[in-house]
């Protein structure tokens, strides 16, 4: 695609505690990695073939027995140390994120911070792995349940959080005693790999964490290899469904997190300036490329809608779009050229379908970065069910206003939508908050909190077609996902041990 | 198959709190139900077509909103009341089990008792459904996680525990706020249905529990209907795998418990009389038709093996085989004619493959019940990996002795086997017990307990190909399987409420 | 006091599963038991001397070892059975309560129902007693914590809930494996004793629960006997403090619940009719003889106060006062003549101190029950800190209105008061509810719930001088109070058990 | 005592984040601090008067509101940072311990490491502080329980673990939101104070942790000041009892850990070399100045006793006694001259009472350190109940062998002893271990683990007169001790919020 790609560095894999190219032959496949701020390919990334992935699985398998037998407190301390290293290398990691994903540095730092919180939670492993013990389940019989490691587990992660989403997965998995093969997005490989190096430095034994870059060949190898016992995935719903179905059909436990179309509801009694401020970040932060972004706002009553639109329009006018590594900018470019074009086509469709484009961000120009994938904030009014911008996850800076008459009408819309990841209600009213949080068919619910991403000590997961699987990501559910229950029932037949009968023949010993 | 089948009563379904035949037309399919003690068909059972199953799902769906909103304590009290009713009707239910399954009444009562314990545990729902609450996850922000009901869920259960296995499932499911469609084994429908009637009597609203008898058509309807959110299954591994794969591919959460081949290990220091006594029940109880039966015993050292075989042979000589409803008998018939023949074929294969048939139960005759499916206890010595009686789940009164040299050798055999449901070690030695329970790749482990079925307040589940899914059956895992996590994050923007500012304009209200 | 007292029946004790008079000699002390509805002594109650209490302790001590070793599930089932018996005998028990305490039958049934819920919770013992298990706290070292019984424990309970408060204590204590000596109020002994009989019927072994009636001599014996390991108390704060100090100085663990002066706060945005309705029950239910009654209402703003007073006055006008066993009455008599006079003296003091007596209930006359201890609902306006009716727990049907300007002012008053049992805020506003619940120095907090008595699966306890001790009553804290933690750390030195080395000399055994 | 004391440096207090001398006047009391290795006074320590302690309490009180409102995750991160600082300053801290306590540096490092583990556990606060949430405890009513901070709490700690025991207390207390006043042993103040400085460096705000050195005046001020809500104590039983009684009588919650006399039991089947090795450390480590030391060993059978004595004698012969800061030494001096003399007097008493002194450590001489408080390992045989060396906690390097016939006999001795802190059984036998751990009346039990100090994620506490209070130290019980439960019950009256009724008059707002 770009003449320069042959000259740039190649990003490889991380297997058994070492950088690996994953191919000896000339036919090794690679793919360019772009800087979205400039549109230029800056690196090549190796795409692992089946044999490379299998070597990563083999490394993980080999590391498993010793790691599984390492006391949890020792595993936990590797996580504590890693947390310190991540804090020390924060600027370096954030810069790597921005250089491949495009998001502004503040967002990159925010992502890293959320990831660090998951490392921190993993470091509580001794507490989290406690089993249940029952004395005298019957006369002289005790029983207890333990949560033991699974073995080798896999993670497959998306471009939009190259640091945070991997850190949702592998730290908890390995602290539970598993070993890991991670396949990050091939569009944003570098920050993920850097952290794998830091994990080694923190004391994680070689082979416990392995990283392979790749595409469907790598994914399918992970999903079908019998040594892999479980897989975690975050991405779009069609792929999530494929991962879940394929992994389950291959006897693995799978949690596959898919797409979203998160609604906010603004009640007439809400604090409108607060809601507007919250929605700005929720809609346009990271260009809307977040599965917890708010792309739709249902305003209850026209007065509410008018006030929200006025507030948003005023705020949008102040936003600065440009390269993510310039701290003066509020929003960077979209991640890739094809994605940029797809988002634009949604805007065109929205106009054709009758929504009113109140703010059009398509004319944004960033001087000196004409080839970057920049799109300004867009705001639609009168968005309605059935429109493509209502039904689909756009993953861009496009916010739509829905005019609803009642809370119930808004909730019915939300419940009828395919997705059920996150949602939020803005109100001062206790009853409204309680009714909404109790009944809405969505997994993560905010009350005056626009991005109700659970903190690391709770768990992340949507409902309906936003998540396939039983258990949510990270937090307490992460512990359960990465362990299997073993229940022991124990009785010691009486042989007179109290009275010494069992030892009554000392001469014969 | 039998001339008398047209005259016998027909067992139907239970939909929306009423008996249902499930078919208006002449073409409704039925199948005979046999008494294994006599070999006679005593009833017909309706086989639900797709429409009938859909009507059960619709009843469950209609009952869901009100039941979901019923406070957990009220749902729990229905379970307490059901427990009382089950105790009052124990003789009647046990007789129904024996008349269709064949097991002796004492076993039928034992099964019912284990089922009642699951009802009892379900009655603790208020405690079990507690979520996690965190004040101040950020400044002025609270977050909590709840465990909400899924909606309509399904259960598919086997012939060998027509009462216990359904009671593993639906009481926990409904006490969590779900509604249920149960498809029991069409070979043993009556006791299951009777309990559904008692649940209504206990106060379970119509539609919360529905029972359909049927075959693959019914199963496939349950697995593909989008209104069904989850399915629990207990049966053989090939069917479990089909259920899991199909259910997952249809977006449901599934737990599917399959087959087993449980090993006991007898160490040289074990209390041999105690081990022999324990193994008799574990091998021959309920004719070995239990997924937690012990069909293989690895004896460490020849002296141990010789002592165990001598002890078992002596005990077998005392066993009485005959109709289950005669309290003088220790073992009843096998469940069906085809199964009876299949078990006999395994015995023949075992002999051919070189195992030594120490006790041959094939010549058992029960006077007056010549058509019953009776087989006496069988004992093989020198069973080895690769033999069909080693590899396969026989589900009959056939026990095999393996001669191993060390504990490690026995554990390696266990870990290499396809299944990992239950296992047990007999020893006095703390180190042996600890090493075994820690490392063995089996989900339920006994120490001097031959059938380590977890009590109702722990959870039941095997490893490897004995269970497909993340969560075990009943107990704490049952609660998690039948609920989904919802996490709420809440902030109330400050409006001066302490100082009265927010209410400072009373005249305008 | 009353000529008839010598002729009436004598209520004795319950020791080792049998009725006991507690004294053979003529000098045994007794005291009359009155019917508050008529003012007549209807029974005598024995007052246990030291020797009688010691015999009860001895019975409990003797029953302890076997009961402690009884599997928790069996202990729990006694509670399930007791629950059923209490439901069956509800009318009889309620009548006994009313005949000695005076409260209307509906209140007596309500009290019993809350008590039954505690029995129900105690029946979950298997779940509640689970300990924590950690594999590999070090290499090859496991550790787990259990919650073991204490031994003999005592309970001392008040007249106002003769059924409910004892059922907060002993069912949880005994289900945890302890044995119990209960000293109920000598003014209301009969319902408490009746339940002890039912517990025997439910299967509780003799000696596990013992009841002694008595006064300070009995209490002091319980507090000083070294065989008693713990004591629970509910009553007034001075006695609670004495119990706590004395029990602690004698090496026991003690939880002593004392008095209360619970405030409600009504915000200007509250649903006033709902608040008024709630306050009627909270202030006048059971004549205000509840430690969770609301005797003070802080109204924010004069408009709020005026509306609340108007509403209360209208509701009070409709109330009927009379004997508790007449279902047409809303409020019965106070419990004793001295208490009746004490409450009247508070009303007089309130008037003198400048509060405005809006409704005066002192002129109530109940035809045919002129000697009963009847007092109608009283309502004060302008109650202020420092007044005796503000500072003291009146324990009568006397409600005071405080006029406050802001929520903060009301909260400061609440926090400055000696007690901190319960409180409630009436509002629609999420921020007000959150600020109030987070910061108020009170143990049980309601939002639009006037009597926020925690359900049986949470725990009951006030703060400040309303509770002395670390752990609250019943619920999860009850489990911890009635058990002590034991932590086991276990390692098995390696002797080659895997390879058979440890059993390598079979000939010598 | 020593002429040089006036010239040496004075150790003061730490109040509100600053070093404080605690006295302006000439009459400020001080006391010398000795180096036990040399017998020389090396420092003076200020003894806080009442006013100084009150100023520390005032500082803690002032810091409380802001600290209590700091989100738990932020408080937790101060603990993570402190952990790092403690690791970085380990050598310095260990040297301070040794210079005042005398223990060898390896022991000092070991103590610090255990303390760090408590800091580490405190850093899990977000997980540990989770409350319980119940949706729909009644129709439309929710309830949850939180664990809120107490306010100002105090800790009083002993000389034998100047670092570890304070770290059991204050990190958990402050991470729960409390503020703290610590009074360490005036004999070993420096390491404790150094850590308080590091806590400030780690980000703990001034006033959250305060340290006062002192004696009874300081203690009594802490126990009686109404601003102090709770106190934790570790020391001897008579003082523990005084602390508990006094603190409770002043309305505080108190946990007071006292003395111990821990027995090991060696069964005939034990691995004797392993037991001997374990007992050497347990008996003589830190000169036996540990509440978890093993000063008594009950050997079952004379053969066992003979083998144990032979093994111990051989090991003792190899031990080196000398200054703690010389890494070649195994055992340092006792802590003070008076204690040294007291331990010697016990040895004399043991001989007089008829025990056989197998090894006499009284003649130890350390060249160049003739004034140090050195005593070599002592071993008694034939120790019996009633002897002063059996009944009393010696807190010195004196081990006694008891010859018992059966396990039951040994257990009866243990249960009859005043104390119940720790104990251990050495055996290979599962039944012996199970019987012992289940029935022994001791709070911390080892199986082949001589010092069963629970890991930081379990809790530390003895039974009988070894602990006064309900809750054990550190771990999960520490969380409960340093928090009080608040239960909220919440209902939102319906005002048609779903249909918009509540907001139906927008014009009037």
């Amino acid at each position: 695609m770009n003449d320069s790609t042959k000259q740039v560095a190649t990003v490889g894999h991380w297997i058994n505690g070492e950088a690996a190219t994953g191919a000896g032959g000339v036919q090794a496949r690679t793919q360019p990695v772009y800087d979205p701020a400039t549109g230029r390919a800056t690196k090549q990334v190796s795409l692992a073939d089946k044999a490379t992935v299998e070597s990563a699985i083999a490394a993980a398998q080999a590391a498993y027995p010793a790691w599984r037998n390492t006391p949890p407190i020792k595993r936990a301390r590797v996580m504590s140390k890693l947390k310190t290293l991540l804090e020390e290398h924060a600027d370096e990691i954030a810069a790597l994120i921005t250089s491949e994903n495009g998001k502004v540095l503040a967002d990159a730092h925010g992502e890293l911070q959320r990831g660090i919180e998951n490392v921190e939670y993993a470091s509580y492993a001794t507490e989290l792995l406690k089993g249940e013990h029952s004395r005298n389940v019957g006369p002289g019989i005790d029983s207890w349940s333990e949560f033991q490691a699974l073995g080798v587990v896999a993670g497959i992660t998306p471009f939009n959080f190259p640091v945070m989403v991997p850190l949702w997965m592998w730290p908890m998995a390995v602290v539970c005693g598993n070993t890991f093969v991670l396949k990050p997005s091939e569009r944003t490989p570098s920050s993920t790999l850097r952290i794998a190096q830091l994990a080694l430095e923190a004391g994680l034994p070689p082979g416990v964490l392995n990283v392979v870059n790749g595409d469907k060949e790598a994914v399918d190898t992970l999903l079908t290899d019998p040594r892999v016992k479980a897989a975690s995935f975050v991405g779009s719903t069609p792929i999530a469904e494929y991962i879940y179905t394929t992994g389950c059909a291959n006897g693995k436990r799978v949690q596959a997190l898919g797409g979203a179309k998160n609604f906010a509801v603004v009640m007439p009694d809400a604090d409108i300036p607060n809601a507007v401020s919250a929605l700005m970040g929720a809609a346009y932060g990271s260009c809307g490329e977040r599965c917890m972004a708010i792309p739709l706002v249902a305003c209850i009553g026209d007065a509410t809608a008018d006030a929200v639109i006025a507030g948003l329009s005023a705020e949008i006018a102040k936003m600065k779009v440009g390269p993510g590594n310039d701290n003066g900018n509020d929003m960077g470019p979209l991640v890739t050229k094809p994605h940029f074009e797809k988002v634009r086509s949604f805007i065109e469709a929205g106009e054709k379908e009758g929504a009113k484009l109140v703010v059009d961000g398509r004319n944004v120009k960033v001087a000196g970065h004409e080839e970057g994938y920049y799109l300004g904030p867009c705001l639609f009014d009168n968005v309605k069910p059935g429109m493509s911008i209502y039904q689909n996850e756009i993953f861009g800076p496009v916010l739509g206003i829905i005019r609803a008459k009642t809370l119930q009408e808004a909730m019915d819309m939300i419940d009828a939508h395919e997705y059920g990841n996150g949602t939020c209600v803005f109100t001062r009213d206790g009853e409204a908050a309680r009714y909404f949080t109790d009944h809405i068919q969505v997994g993560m619910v905010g009350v005056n909190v626009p991005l109700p991403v659970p903190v690391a000590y709770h768990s992340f997961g949507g409902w309906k077609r936003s998540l396939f699987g039983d258990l949510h990501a990270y937090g307490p559910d992460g512990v359960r996902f990465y362990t299997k229950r073993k229940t022991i029932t124990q009785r010691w037949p009486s042989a007179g041990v109290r009275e010494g009968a069992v030892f009554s023949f000392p001469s014969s010993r």
Side-chain angles (χ1 to χ4, degrees), chain A:
Chain A
M1 299 181 180
N2 186 310
D3 288 348
S4 69
T5 56
K6 290 198 179 83
Q7 276 67 42
V8 298
T10 299
V11 179
H13 317 294
W14 182 260
I15 297 175
N16 207 26
E18 293 180 352
T21 60
V26 287
Q27 62 278 71
R29 294 187 298 127
T30 63
Q31 180 177 304
V33 178
Y34 295 91
D35 179 349
T38 62
R40 280 196 287 271
T42 54
K43 300 160 195 157
Q44 295 268 88
V45 60
S46 295
L47 300 178
D49 58 7
K50 189 162 191 278
T52 302
V53 177
E54 286 176 342
S55 72
I57 296 171
Q61 181 81 344
Y64 176 63
W67 183 242
R68 177 254 188 233
N69 286 338
T70 301
I73 189 77
K74 294 205 174 176
R75 301 193 304 242
R77 283 175 185 153
V78 176
M79 293 301 118
S80 297
K81 179 67 179 162
L82 175 61
K83 172 174 177 267
T84 303
L85 290 177
L86 291 173
E87 288 165 346
E88 291 171 5
H89 292 77
D91 288 342
E92 174 195 355
I93 294 167
L96 285 173
I97 295 171
T98 295
S99 73
E100 294 174 351
N101 168 285
K103 63 176 71 174
V104 296
L105 283 171
D107 274 355
H109 273 283
E111 166 184 357
L112 174 59
Q113 179 54 32
R114 295 300 295 228
I116 287 174
E117 290 169 14
N118 293 101
V119 175
E120 191 175 26
Y121 188 73
S123 78
Y124 309 170
T126 53
E127 182 70 15
L128 303 174
L129 287 171
K130 282 179 178 173
E132 304 180 303
H133 184 272
S134 300
R135 178 79 79 173
N136 275 334
V137 300
I141 305 174
D142 304 329
S143 192
W144 68 94
S145 293
E146 304 180 2
F147 297 97
Q148 295 200 346
L150 305 174
V152 179
V153 300
I156 301 162
T157 56
F159 73 84
N160 62 331
F161 288 108
V163 162
M164 182 182 78
V165 171
L167 291 178
W168 286 3
M169 297 177 182
W170 74 258
M172 181 56 76
V174 304
V175 92
C176 290
N178 302 287
T179 54
F180 207 89
V181 181
L182 173 65
K183 196 217 82 58
S185 170
E186 67 279 18
R187 284 173 271 173
T188 55
S190 299
S191 54
T192 316
L193 274 168
R194 182 67 186 103
I195 291 176
Q197 293 169 341
L198 293 175
L200 182 77
E201 196 176 317
L204 200 70
V208 173
L209 170 65
N210 307 277
V211 184
V212 289
N213 286 299
D215 51 13
K216 191 166 187 298
E217 181 174 347
V219 169
D220 286 346
T221 304
L222 290 171
L223 293 178
T224 54
D225 192 295
R227 293 169 296 182
V228 176
K229 301 304 181 196
S232 296
F233 171 83
V234 174
S236 69
T237 286
I239 308 296
E241 192 164 22
Y242 170 77
I243 298 280
Y244 187 66
T245 302
T246 309
C248 290
N250 281 278
K252 304 184 195 322
R253 63 170 65 184
V254 184
Q255 54 179 192
L257 283 67
K261 190 75 179 185
N262 305 314
F263 291 64
V265 177
V266 182
M267 294 289 280
D269 73 336
D271 176 335
I272 300 290
N274 172 70
V276 164
S277 169
L279 289 171
M280 285 299 296
Y284 304 120
S286 291
C287 279
E289 293 170 333
R290 293 170 174 162
C291 64
M292 285 296 276
I294 295 281
L296 290 176
V297 181
C299 296
I300 309 304
D302 282 334
T304 307
D306 294 342
V308 167
I309 290 169
L312 289 170
S313 301
E315 291 294 322
I316 289 171
K318 301 177 202 161
M319 280 188 75
K320 290 195 186 158
V321 178
N325 59 8
D326 176 342
N327 283 324
N329 290 325
D330 301 302
M331 204 167 83
L334 288 164
V335 67
T336 60
K337 184 91 176 176
H339 186 57
F340 171 76
E341 283 157 5
K342 184 175 161 204
V343 174
R344 289 177 66 98
S345 72
F346 272 119
I347 299 166
E348 285 155 28
E351 289 192 285
K352 280 186 201 148
E353 290 165 338
K356 179 181 166 194
L357 187 57
V358 178
V359 181
D360 185 351
R362 286 175 293 182
N363 300 319
V364 146
K365 294 288 171 212
V366 180
H369 291 76
E370 287 74 12
E371 301 300 311
Y373 319 137
Y374 300 99
L375 182 65
C378 300
L379 179 65
F380 276 105
D381 191 6
N382 285 321
V383 176
K384 290 182 178 156
M387 291 179 179
S388 63
I389 58 172
Y390 178 100
Q391 298 302 139
N392 297 289
E393 184 174 35
I394 298 174
F395 236 55
V398 182
L399 178 61
I401 304 294
I402 299 161
R403 291 172 177 254
K405 290 198 172 51
T406 64
L407 176 58
Q408 189 65 57
E409 183 191 348
M411 289 173 65
D412 290 345
M413 283 187 203
I414 296 170
D415 287 348
H417 203 285
E418 173 185 10
Y419 298 118
N421 215 43
T423 190
C424 170
V425 65
F426 290 93
T427 185
R428 282 196 72 75
D429 190 84
E431 185 197 0
R434 203 270 178 194
Y435 182 77
F436 187 81
T437 60
D438 185 17
H439 288 91
I440 201 75
Q441 291 298 304
V442 171
M444 296 175 281
V445 186
V447 177
N448 298 309
V449 172
L451 293 176
V453 178
V455 288
Y457 42 104
H458 286 263
S459 294
F460 184 105
W463 286 8
K464 292 186 285 183
R465 287 175 60 79
S466 289
L467 186 147
F468 300 86
D470 305 357
L471 294 162
H472 288 189
Y474 71 71
D477 268 20
V479 181
R480 289 308 312 280
F481 183 76
Y482 292 120
T483 59
K484 53 190 172 184
R485 185 183 283 265
K486 180 185 270 188
T487 302
I488 293 104
T489 305
Q490 183 169 281
R491 188 173 79 89
W492 296 103
S494 179
V497 76
R498 289 186 252 176
E499 305 82 11
V502 75
F503 302 116
S504 59
F505 311 110
S507 61
S508 73
R509 289 179 72 87

